[in-house]
Amino acid sequence: MYSTHIQAITQFTPADAQVAASLMQNISEFDKPVSAEAMLERIGAAPALLLLCYVEDELAGFKLGYEKSPGEFYSWLGGVLPDFRKLGLAQSMLLTQEQWAGEQGYSLLKVKTRHSFPAMLSMLVQNRYQIAAIQSEGVSLAEQKISLQKALV
């Protein structure tokens, strides 16, 4: 069995944004990777959490979220490098994010995915996220955005 650990970063810096942006370049599901600058601009001064997941001290994945509004945390970006999939890393990061958000007083966690990512959709539903909306206008079924949310209290 591999040794894994998750590093939680709550002071999101330009260097952290660069690490996440670099990881995105190696995750094929990100057809349009977000630049470090765009991450920093979108998050601004909002409280944020970046989780970096390591396997045998090698960076394997990340999960980035931020406060959308008081009481609401948005899980924005995340992924696991192909060589490290099927190890439960995404599930571990999801649970770590939920626990942290709850400890910070957030009552609602929101996330978006697409039909084209069935593994993520399945993981979210299995973890009691509920579908809140589907954005379907002008896009194929695979590209429809599915908004999900979970009450943390």
Side-chain angles (χ1 to χ4, degrees), residues 24-25 27-35 77 114 143:
M24 288 181 77
Q25 296 293 327
I27 299 173
S28 64
E29 288 83 357
F30 289 112
D31 52 346
K32 296 175 189 166
V34 179
S35 70
L77 299 169
R114 295 185 205 153
E143 294 304 309

Side-chain angles (χ1 to χ4, degrees), residues 87-108:
L87 298 176
L89 304 179
Q91 175 70 26
S92 293
M93 288 188 288
L94 176 84
L95 294 175
T96 300
Q97 184 182 64
E98 286 179 7
Q99 180 179 351
W100 180 87
E103 289 170 355
Q104 303 309 305
Y106 295 102
S107 58
L108 190 64

Side-chain angles (χ1 to χ4, degrees), residues 8-152:
I9 299 168
T10 57
Q11 299 297 319
F12 191 61
T13 68
D16 298 321
Q18 190 57 53
V19 169
S22 294
L23 271 171
M24 288 181 77
Q25 296 293 327
N26 297 306
I27 299 173
S28 64
E29 288 83 357
F30 289 112
D31 52 346
K32 296 175 189 166
V34 179
S35 70
E37 295 78 17
M39 287 180 199
L40 292 165
E41 184 177 322
R42 181 162 177 177
I43 293 172
L49 174 67
L50 171 64
L51 299 175
L52 298 176
C53 189
Y54 294 85
V55 174
E56 300 292 329
D57 296 322
E58 187 175 343
L59 188 55
F62 79 104
K63 190 164 194 62
L64 175 61
Y66 61 95
E67 180 179 292
K68 272 286 240 199
S69 62
E72 181 183 313
F73 194 79
Y74 179 62
S75 182
W76 179 29
L77 299 169
V80 175
L81 294 172
D83 288 348
F84 299 102
R85 294 188 179 165
K86 307 282 188 211
L87 298 176
L89 304 179
Q91 175 70 26
S92 293
M93 288 188 288
L94 176 84
L95 294 175
T96 300
Q97 184 182 64
E98 286 179 7
Q99 180 179 351
W100 180 87
E103 289 170 355
Q104 303 309 305
Y106 295 102
S107 58
L108 190 64
L109 208 152
K110 291 187 173 184
V111 62
K112 289 181 185 174
T113 190
R114 295 185 205 153
H115 283 294
S116 57
F117 304 134
M120 181 173 178
L121 183 56
S122 176
M123 179 182 70
L124 291 167
V125 171
Q126 288 175 7
N127 281 276
R128 299 186 179 161
Y129 284 75
Q130 296 180 322
I131 295 173
I134 298 176
Q135 298 170 333
S136 60
E137 285 192 36
V139 296
S140 68
L141 182 62
E143 294 304 309
Q144 290 179 357
K145 290 183 180 177
I146 305 166
S147 299
L148 298 101
Q149 62 187 38
K150 181 177 183 176
L152 297 177

